């Protein structure tokens, strides 16, 4: 009764709670099943209260089991904000965080995606983990865990085995923080621009003590090599 199935017209997949087949992790355990092949499934459950992870560690963890061989399936979960509408849930609904396995043809990865609000434009931008780990494809129950710490480091674990670790400020594409320097496509070089990094300044005079007869290099007894004047 905690779960609400979306009313989106293209989400025709049926959900059902059934007892899992052998082998079971817990005797008599039940699972939430996706029953319809080649269909979008969408189901959501409201948290009891809003929560903040400021200066706290977030642990997101759940179990996934593919009892049959799969050709193309994603079994990820998403966290939404307070403006979320369960009745209209689709893959286009804006989320805060997305995590979990996705396997389709040659693509096989554990998603870790964040939607980050740009403080200047006010728009949300999707940031996706670069080089995500592979899924665990078998017919057993597998535990997927995401840990995000206050120091911006993260762990991805499968069955409590670490498969990916890094920092959210360096491992996402596009980068969560903008680059320090951004090329301006409207900027052009002046007509008198010289590409040489070093050039003579004709207006700069030689020092009064300059002597053209002196050698270009002198011996430095402390450094024990020739030093250019």
């Amino acid at each position: 009764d905690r779960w609400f199935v979306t009313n989106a017209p293209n989400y025709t997949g049926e959900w059902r709670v059934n007892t899992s087949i052998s082998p079971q992790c817990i005797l008599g355990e039940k699972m939430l099943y996706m029953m319809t092949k080649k269909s979008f499934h969408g189901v959501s459950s409201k948290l009891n209260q809003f929560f903040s992870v400021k200066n706290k560690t977030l642990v997101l963890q759940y179990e996934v089991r593919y009892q049959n061989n799969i050709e193309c399936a994603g079994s990820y979960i998403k966290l939404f904000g307070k403006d979320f509408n369960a009745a209209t849930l689709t893959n286009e609904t804006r989320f805060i965080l997305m995590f979990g396995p996705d396997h389709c043809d040659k693509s096989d990865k554990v998603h870790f995606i964040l939607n980050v609000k740009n403080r200047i434009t006010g728009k949300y931008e999707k940031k996706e983990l670069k080089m995500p780990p592979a899924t665990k494809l078998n017919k057993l129950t597998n535990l997927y865990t995401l840990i995000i710490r206050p120091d911006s480091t993260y762990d991805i674990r499968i069955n409590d085995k670490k498969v990916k670790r890094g920092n959210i400020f360096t491992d996402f594409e596009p980068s969560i923080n903008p680059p320090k320097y951004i090329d301006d496509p409207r900027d052009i070089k002046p007509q008198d621009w010289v590409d040489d990094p070093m050039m003579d300044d004709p207006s700069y005079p030689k020092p009064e003590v300059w002597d053209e007869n002196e050698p270009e290099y002198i011996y430095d007894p402390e450094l024990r090599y020739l030093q250019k004047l």
Side-chain angles (χ1 to χ4, degrees):
D1 295 335
R2 293 181 53 211
W3 298 93
F4 187 91
V5 179
T6 179
N7 292 327
N10 62 325
Y11 274 67
T12 57
E14 177 190 356
W15 293 91
R16 188 180 301 170
V17 176
N18 283 338
T19 302
S20 63
I21 64 174
S22 181
Q24 295 180 331
C25 293
I26 302 173
L27 186 63
E29 69 177 359
K30 295 183 181 295
M31 301 175 67
L32 185 63
Y33 279 82
M34 292 182 284
M35 301 298 298
T36 314
K37 292 183 178 181
K38 299 181 180 180
S39 299
F40 287 115
H41 291 70
V43 67
S44 60
S45 180
K46 186 177 181 180
L47 299 174
N48 294 330
Q49 61 184 23
F50 294 113
F51 67 93
S52 171
V53 294
K54 186 176 182 180
N55 299 322
K56 298 179 181 178
T57 296
L58 172 66
V59 179
L60 189 60
Q61 180 173 269
Y62 71 114
E63 292 178 338
V64 178
R65 183 176 185 182
Y66 299 114
Q67 291 188 168
N68 301 312
N69 294 326
I70 62 169
E71 296 178 3
C72 186
S75 304
Y76 35 80
I77 60 175
K78 299 178 180 180
L79 295 181
F80 299 94
K82 59 184 178 180
D83 57 345
F84 171 70
N85 185 351
T88 58
L89 170 64
T90 69
N91 61 320
E92 299 296 330
T93 303
R94 181 171 56 81
F95 57 86
I96 297 174
L97 187 153
M98 172 175 160
F99 171 68
D102 189 9
H103 175 83
C104 195
D105 196 19
K106 296 181 180 180
S107 176
D108 183 78
K109 57 186 175 182
V110 179
H111 283 293
F112 178 17
I113 304 175
L114 297 171
N115 262 322
V116 181
K117 188 175 183 179
N118 188 306
R119 296 184 179 181
I120 298 177
T121 65
K123 297 180 179 180
Y124 283 87
E125 301 171 350
K126 187 179 293 186
K127 315 290 185 177
E128 188 166 357
L129 178 65
K130 297 182 290 186
M131 295 185 292
T135 66
K136 188 76 171 179
L137 281 180
N138 53 34
K139 296 183 179 182
L140 302 176
T141 299
N142 294 290
L143 180 68
Y144 287 84
T145 307
L146 171 66
I147 303 173
I148 306 178
R149 303 180 183 85
D151 63 359
S152 301
T153 60
Y154 67 88
D155 281 1
I156 296 177
R157 301 180 182 181
I158 302 179
N159 299 329
D160 207 29
K161 180 181 179 181
K162 192 182 303 178
V163 294
K164 180 78 173 181
R165 187 175 192 181
N167 190 294
I168 62 174
F169 288 113
T170 58
D171 294 359
F172 279 73
E173 185 68 31
S175 174
I176 290 182
N177 280 342
K180 292 183 179 180
Y181 300 97
I182 302 175
D183 184 55
D184 185 355
R186 300 168 298 178
D187 187 28
I188 59 174
K189 291 182 180 180
Q191 292 183 352
D192 59 349
W193 182 270
V194 178
D195 280 321
D196 294 336
M198 304 290 290
M199 64 194 76
D200 292 332
D201 183 355
S203 65
Y204 187 79
K206 292 181 178 180
E208 294 182 358
V209 296
W210 187 270
D211 190 346
E212 293 286 356
N213 296 321
E214 291 293 330
E216 185 178 4
Y217 294 90
I218 62 172
Y219 180 75
D220 188 332
E222 295 183 1
L223 299 178
R224 297 184 180 181
Y225 62 79
L226 293 178
Q227 181 174 339
K228 189 174 182 181
L229 290 174

